[in-house]
Amino acid sequence: LSSIIVTVVSVHLIPVLQGYGYSAAAAVALGALIGPSQVAGRVAELAIGRRVHPVWSTLAAGLMMGGGTAMLTFSVEMAATAIVIYAMGAGVSYIVRGTLPLVMFGADGYATLMGKLVFPSLIAQALAPWVAALALARWGDGVLFPMLMALALANVIAVVAVLASRRSFPL
């Protein structure tokens, strides 16, 4: 789910921000916050994430992505802050995609497991911008951020379900 969100944001953020009234230059400047914010998220993950189980980092990433998309849903005027929060979570999500399965399932068969896990993600990433474009064409710019917020919420629920099923994740 986080891969879908990141892909859709990458493709549609700037034109949707323009649809909300931001100039092209302002929309590009806001979009340019994503890269440095992802790096900041990764640096924080490297500094703090070593001390916690990757499932907690995964939950934090999902909450940051969800918080950022929620802010964009309810207050597009706070776009800069929302994008920074979202992108920091996206940066962390890139790291935990590899570390969480390794820690949860071990190194034996890791490459095969990752291949199985990434395949549906790649299909979803390929289809997501197209589906989002159809939604935007049908319902307008106002649909994108609520749609992303719903996906982020589903992502957080999935992580919480993993936490509930295992019950013994160390901090």
Side-chain angles (χ1 to χ4, degrees), residues 21-55:
Y22 284 94
S23 69
V28 169
L30 289 167
L33 293 172
I34 292 174
S37 300
Q38 286 178 338
V39 171
R42 291 178 188 138
V43 168
E45 165 60 18
L46 290 173
I48 299 166
R50 297 171 193 235
R51 297 180 187 94
V52 298
H53 193 282
V55 76

Side-chain angles (χ1 to χ4, degrees), residues 35 50 55 75 98 103 130 133 136 153:
R50 297 171 193 235
V55 76
S75 179
V103 169
W130 180 74
L136 287 166
L153 177 61

Side-chain angles (χ1 to χ4, degrees), residues 37-91:
S37 300
Q38 286 178 338
V39 171
R42 291 178 188 138
V43 168
E45 165 60 18
L46 290 173
I48 299 166
R50 297 171 193 235
R51 297 180 187 94
V52 298
H53 193 282
V55 76
W56 297 111
S57 296
T58 304
L59 182 61
L63 289 170
M64 286 188 286
M65 291 175 74
T69 56
M71 287 176 71
L72 285 167
T73 298
F74 298 112
S75 179
V76 77
E77 294 81 19
M78 295 189 59
T81 303
I83 289 168
V84 167
I85 291 168
Y86 152 80
M88 288 181 71

Side-chain angles (χ1 to χ4, degrees), residues 1-18 20 27-35 37-38 61-62 64-73 79-91 93-94 97 124-133 136 141 143-152:
L1 291 170
S2 63
S3 297
I4 293 170
I5 296 166
V6 168
T7 303
V8 169
V9 168
S10 296
V11 172
H12 295 292
L13 179 66
I14 292 171
V16 168
L17 288 174
Q18 287 180 286
Y20 276 102
V28 169
L30 289 167
L33 293 172
I34 292 174
S37 300
Q38 286 178 338
M64 286 188 286
M65 291 175 74
T69 56
M71 287 176 71
L72 285 167
T73 298
T81 303
I83 289 168
V84 167
I85 291 168
Y86 152 80
M88 288 181 71
S93 77
Y94 286 117
R97 281 183 210 162
Q125 282 179 282
L127 295 175
W130 180 74
V131 171
L136 287 166
D141 293 328
V143 74
L144 185 72
F145 298 138
M147 182 175 67
L148 295 173
M149 184 180 68
L151 289 171

